[in-house]
Amino acid sequence: MTQSIESIAKQRWDLIVIGAGPSGALLSHLVARTGASVLLVDKSPFPRHKVCGSCISAGAVKALEAAGIAKIIVDSGAVATETLALSDSNQSLRLKLPLGYALSRKSLDSAIVAEALRSGAHFAANTTAAITQSLDEHVEVRLKDSAYEANVTANVVVVADGLNGRSLAALPEFDFKIKAQSKFGAGVVIEDANYDLAPGVIQMACTNDGYVGIVRVEHGQLDIAAALHAEFSRRQGGAAPAAASILQRCKFAVPPDLMQAQWHGTELLTRTRNKVAVRRLFVIGDASGYAEPITGEGMAWAMWSAVSISGLILQSIEKWNDHFASRWQEMHTSLIRQRQERARLIASTLDNLPIRSAALALLRSIPSLAIPYLRSLSDYPDPRSFIGNLVTTQIHEPDTCQRIS
């Protein structure tokens, strides 16, 4: 059933989630299935492409299992991934990964949104959102689509609008710090059945100027994602020729359609938020801070943000306590930010030729040295400690699923 923003504004929501990526959509699913009234908003029309390596790591799979929707991996035609083929200009390395999957963000995000709708959430696509104020009893959000604009209130608001989100622009306490010399992200999905890359292999080309990852996703397409230094990209004439240069220097073939395809970019990648919570307002996923990830870790961080905050959101809806904001700050630091700091260290290693060469040589001779890191890709807490109460608690009787377009 379709509703307008005008009708949405007449309702006081338990929860508004801004951003329908893996973190926002997954949280909407988890909270809506308790009977809470949940409005999920995204600025883009759906389905839509998103710059991403499209790798669902073992940790991300574990988050989907915890939420009870891991079936979307198989149902969407995801490709199992078990090998990382890493190369620089001097040497190459192959590592066996814990079982993960490759699935385009167009398919993944749409599938999780569909699960949220089935759980009772409402979805407003192609709608911008901005936090106007956070008050003692509610948070006010300004929603706007092509036809209407209105203020909407909720007991709790969660911002999950990613790197490029602007919903917190009016709140200076949520400013972020960008790491010096941070790269930006760029990517594209292309058809190329003849490219020499077997399904299940994640190919990564690493140089001091950035890195490029390629993996086959559903329907045999190639997902190409790069993290590039801006000055290098400018010198090369854009993201596509920059990615081609890195692939060639690492002795990988360049897909023929790479140069003609329409690439999409992101803001600078590595950043931290000053805060990730204030009264009745939380930030999760990429919007809460980001680091250059390896082999699907970014997806896992996003999904585990949703899983780990879900119980806290339910408590916040029932009765607010100022302790909840500081509690999420602590949880985010211990579960997500510490993993991102490790990813920053790995990214710094890949950026430095002498260190990168030494590390690759060492791993080639002693592959077992990678085991602790590879195990950490799926080493997350027992999800029952976060979402156990969501399975049994019903705030309201579940409402009919509705999509707002």
Side-chain angles (χ1 to χ4, degrees):
M1 180 178 177
T2 300
Q3 280 184 277
S4 66
I5 290 179
E6 187 174 8
S7 63
I8 295 172
K10 297 176 182 177
Q11 179 173 346
R12 166 79 172 264
W13 298 88
D14 289 323
L15 173 65
I16 294 177
V17 180
I18 302 172
S23 56
L26 190 60
L27 178 64
S28 297
H29 157 70
L30 287 167
V31 177
R33 71 181 183 178
T34 71
S37 60
V38 178
L39 175 61
L40 175 63
V41 181
D42 197 278
K43 65 182 179 182
S44 300
F46 265 62
R48 53 96 174 97
H49 171 70
K50 192 87 171 178
V51 175
C52 182
S54 294
C55 294
I56 305 172
S57 70
V61 173
K62 190 174 179 180
L64 291 173
E65 290 172 344
I69 60 171
K71 64 183 180 65
I72 67 173
I73 296 174
V74 174
D75 291 350
S76 300
V79 180
T81 55
E82 295 186 275
T83 302
L84 172 64
L86 179 66
S87 293
D88 71 359
S89 57
N90 297 317
Q91 56 191 318
S92 61
L93 171 72
R94 291 176 75 91
L95 293 173
K96 184 175 176 57
L97 298 171
L99 179 62
Y101 295 87
L103 182 64
S104 71
R105 286 290 300 274
K106 184 177 182 179
S107 295
L108 175 66
D109 293 9
S110 295
I112 302 177
V113 167
E115 293 298 328
L117 293 173
R118 276 190 277 273
S119 295
H122 300 241
F123 182 38
N126 210 19
T127 300
T128 61
I131 310 295
T132 55
Q133 51 186 340
S134 178
L135 304 173
D136 286 347
E137 299 302 323
H138 68 268
V139 181
E140 188 174 272
V141 181
R142 188 73 173 173
L143 298 182
K144 183 178 181 180
D145 63 14
S146 59
Y148 196 79
E149 187 172 356
N151 287 333
V152 183
T153 60
N155 291 340
V156 177
V157 170
V158 173
V159 173
D161 58 358
L163 288 172
N164 298 343
R166 296 290 181 269
S167 61
L168 291 168
L171 303 178
E173 61 266 41
F174 285 101
D175 285 348
F176 50 75
K177 298 176 182 176
I178 299 175
K179 178 188 173 185
Q181 301 302 311
S182 178
K183 304 181 187 72
F184 73 95
V188 69
V189 176
I190 61 175
E191 303 282 350
D192 194 331
N194 297 320
Y195 186 73
D196 186 18
L197 180 65
V201 177
I202 302 169
Q203 176 180 286
M204 290 195 67
C206 301
T207 71
N208 289 14
D209 297 311
Y211 60 84
V212 180
I214 307 181
V215 67
R216 287 205 181 275
V217 293
E218 72 277 15
H219 312 306
Q221 296 172 306
L222 292 179
D223 184 290
I224 305 172
L228 305 168
H229 285 294
E231 179 57 33
F232 170 70
S233 179
R234 282 192 291 269
R235 291 198 311 268
Q236 295 297 313
S245 171
I246 290 173
L247 289 170
Q248 290 170 335
R249 285 150 58 190
C250 294
K251 301 177 178 60
F252 285 130
V254 177
D257 292 338
L258 181 148
M259 296 297 293
Q260 290 76 37
Q262 183 179 356
W263 284 63
H264 299 269
T266 73
E267 302 282 346
L268 295 177
L269 294 173
T270 302
R271 58 183 63 201
T272 55
R273 287 275 186 192
N274 292 335
K275 287 188 175 183
V276 294
V278 295
R279 186 175 182 84
R280 297 186 179 274
L281 176 58
F282 301 88
V283 189
I284 66 172
D286 295 354
S288 65
Y290 197 70
E292 298 167 30
I294 305 296
T295 62
E297 278 195 289
M299 207 92 76
W301 300 334
M303 293 183 187
W304 276 96
S305 287
V307 169
S308 58
I309 202 174
S310 56
L312 192 60
I313 293 299
L314 185 61
Q315 296 176 60
S316 300
I317 291 170
E318 291 175 329
K319 185 178 180 181
W320 177 257
N321 186 314
D322 286 338
H323 169 69
F324 295 153
S326 59
R327 177 59 180 150
W328 175 236
Q329 197 83 38
E330 295 166 359
M331 291 169 63
H332 181 268
T333 297
S334 62
L335 184 65
I336 307 298
R337 189 165 289 180
Q338 288 182 6
R339 294 172 184 270
Q340 291 176 340
E341 289 299 329
R342 182 188 61 201
R344 289 188 182 97
L345 179 60
I346 294 173
S348 297
T349 298
L350 295 177
D351 264 352
N352 187 295
L353 178 58
I355 298 176
R356 182 176 68 242
S357 297
L360 290 178
L362 186 60
L363 288 172
R364 278 171 62 94
S365 60
I366 314 176
S368 61
L369 291 176
I371 290 176
Y373 167 71
L374 296 174
R375 284 178 176 169
S376 74
L377 295 177
S378 57
D379 184 21
Y380 283 84
D382 185 341
R384 290 173 296 183
S385 62
F386 302 121
I387 66 175
N389 58 334
L390 291 177
V391 176
T392 57
T393 302
Q394 291 284 320
I395 295 181
H396 313 298
E397 289 299 318
D399 197 3
T400 302
C401 301
Q402 299 189 35
R403 178 182 177 88
I404 305 150
S405 57

